Amino acid sequence: MRVLVTGGAGFIGSHIVEALLDGGADVRVVDSLDPSVHGPAATANGAAADGTAGGGVAAGGLDRRAELLVGDLGDPAVAGAAVDGVDAVCHQAAKVGLGVDFGDVTGYVAGNDTATAVLLEALWRNGFGGRLVLASSMVVYGEGLALCAVHGPVAPAARLAADVEAGCFEPGCPRPGCPESVTWTPVEESAPADPRNVYAATKLHQEHLCSLWGRAAGATVVALRYHNVYGPRMPRDTPYAGVASIFRSALAAGRPALVFEDGGQTRDFVHVRDVARANVLALCADVASGAYNIASGTPHTVLDMATALTDAFGPNAPRPMINGGWRPGDVRHIVASPRKAAEELGFMAGIGFEEGMAEFAHAPQRTAIAATA
């Protein structure tokens, strides 16, 4: 089987490429090697700025056994070349993270919506009817699902800036006049989508576009809604990385992890090698089109994560600092139910929180990548 992995030179994509190659697949990667993600040393010939290249794995992590096509997926010519002759597609290419502010909107739409549309048009014009696995995200759920003591299951109300700035971090019941606070409960894939930032809106639109293509082409589309992915090769020193990477970058620079709000935000942290395995399962499992939560099933607070990472970094690492700040568009609690992925894909996370954080504390972060074409 020949699999196209878009964004295959990136953090998650490079791990998926390795897993596919180790399983016997032929892999083609299309990646722009964007310097804002891969660093200014990114090239297509295996030479990094520091001269490192490695044996079977190129600098940054792309396995040399993969075929690499360097180009922007939003370019129809690049997309057309990328899809030629492939049997399945694993679509990882995207602009990720919460970003800085709404001024990032055109970048997210171009990198996520437009590039996905160009890819799907290329697949359509090429008569492709194989399986497409899409990297989606838990952000499509917004604040997720919660329980009100009076009204039962509810979608939490959007948090108001004035409340958060005053230190009232927990969302309330959305029912008019209800004064009750709510407690989080795991989100199933059937929960209604409620994107609350630009990135979330583009990930949901990707799901919609891929679903429409799948119906028209008679093809299977599997959307994997990743929760907070972390692990080796995360990019460093960028606001577009996940919170684990931001904390790891701070520790590497001798600074404490700065924890927003009171640190009580609840997330599910899932290791990148588990996510790669989920993608391989999704490419091969006998399932119909649909969405799946990809999560560890064991939630932790952001402060838990900052503490575990700091502890693993070493005894001289500065302790986490709670600074009370917040980011517009951030949600308070989002925790997944991993039941459907376990039952239908056979996926269960295998790397525990403590084990994964201990590894990540000393794992290299991504600053540049190079690979042979």
Side-chain angles (χ1 to χ4, degrees):
M1 178 170 67
R2 168 164 280 197
V3 182
L4 170 65
V5 182
T6 73
F11 163 47
I12 297 175
S14 65
H15 286 276
I16 294 170
V17 168
E18 283 183 7
L20 287 168
L21 289 166
D22 289 345
D26 292 326
V27 178
R28 174 182 294 156
V29 169
V30 59
D31 201 296
S32 67
L33 298 185
D34 182 351
S36 69
V37 177
H38 301 287
T43 70
N45 62 11
D50 60 5
T52 61
V57 178
L62 181 60
D63 195 302
R64 294 185 184 280
R65 294 174 293 173
E67 173 193 357
L68 175 63
L69 174 61
V70 178
D72 184 349
L73 193 62
D75 181 340
V78 172
V83 304
D84 185 44
V86 300
D87 304 302
V89 177
C90 190
H91 183 28
Q92 305 294 312
K95 187 177 180 69
V96 300
L98 188 58
V100 177
D101 54 34
F102 194 82
D104 288 323
V105 62
T106 55
Y108 277 108
V109 170
N112 298 353
D113 297 345
T114 303
T116 296
V118 172
L119 170 67
L120 295 174
E121 182 176 350
L123 293 172
W124 175 262
R125 295 189 182 282
N126 209 48
F128 176 85
R131 178 163 300 193
L132 170 65
V133 175
L134 169 68
S136 187
S137 172
M138 54 84 177
V139 296
V140 303
Y141 297 122
E143 286 281 355
L145 186 65
L147 296 176
C148 171
V150 175
H151 298 105
V154 295
R159 300 190 296 169
L160 300 177
D163 290 340
V164 178
E165 290 169 358
C168 299
F169 301 122
E170 296 295 336
C173 179
R175 299 294 181 87
C178 182
E180 295 291 329
S181 60
V182 296
T183 57
W184 65 263
T185 190
V187 180
E188 304 264 349
E189 290 84 352
S190 58
D194 185 18
R196 297 193 178 184
N197 56 62
V198 169
Y199 172 60
T202 62
K203 296 309 288 185
L204 183 60
H205 194 209
Q206 281 185 308
E207 286 195 22
H208 289 165
L209 289 172
C210 291
S211 178
L212 290 168
W213 167 81
R215 291 178 198 170
T220 301
V221 175
V222 179
L224 302 183
R225 291 173 176 169
Y226 301 158
H227 285 248
N228 285 67
V229 186
Y230 73 97
R233 304 177 199 154
M234 287 192 87
R236 61 178 298 169
D237 301 323
T238 169
Y240 300 98
V243 65
S245 179
I246 293 171
F247 289 172
R248 172 68 168 76
S249 295
L251 288 167
R255 303 189 305 269
L258 295 180
V259 182
F260 284 171
E261 301 182 20
D262 61 356
Q265 310 94 307
T266 312
R267 300 289 190 269
D268 188 304
F269 297 95
V270 58
H271 196 279
V272 66
R273 288 196 296 273
D274 281 329
V275 172
R277 184 163 50 84
N279 275 270
V280 175
L281 290 169
L283 284 166
C284 302
D286 184 16
V287 294
S289 294
Y292 295 85
N293 289 327
I294 302 301
S296 73
T298 307
H300 291 83
T301 68
V302 172
L303 182 57
D304 288 340
M305 188 272 290
T307 301
L309 192 59
T310 301
D311 288 345
F313 202 81
N316 297 322
R319 306 308 301 170
M321 292 180 58
I322 296 174
N323 70 359
W326 72 294
R327 297 189 301 176
D330 242 344
V331 299
R332 180 65 175 175
H333 307 292
I334 181 67
V335 176
S337 167
R339 178 191 57 81
K340 184 181 176 186
E343 293 177 355
E344 298 186 15
L345 299 180
F347 171 75
M348 295 181 65
I351 299 175
F353 179 76
E354 290 78 11
E355 174 191 357
M357 288 297 164
E359 177 200 28
F360 181 49
H362 302 285
Q365 289 183 272
R366 178 178 298 273
T367 54
I369 187 165
T372 54

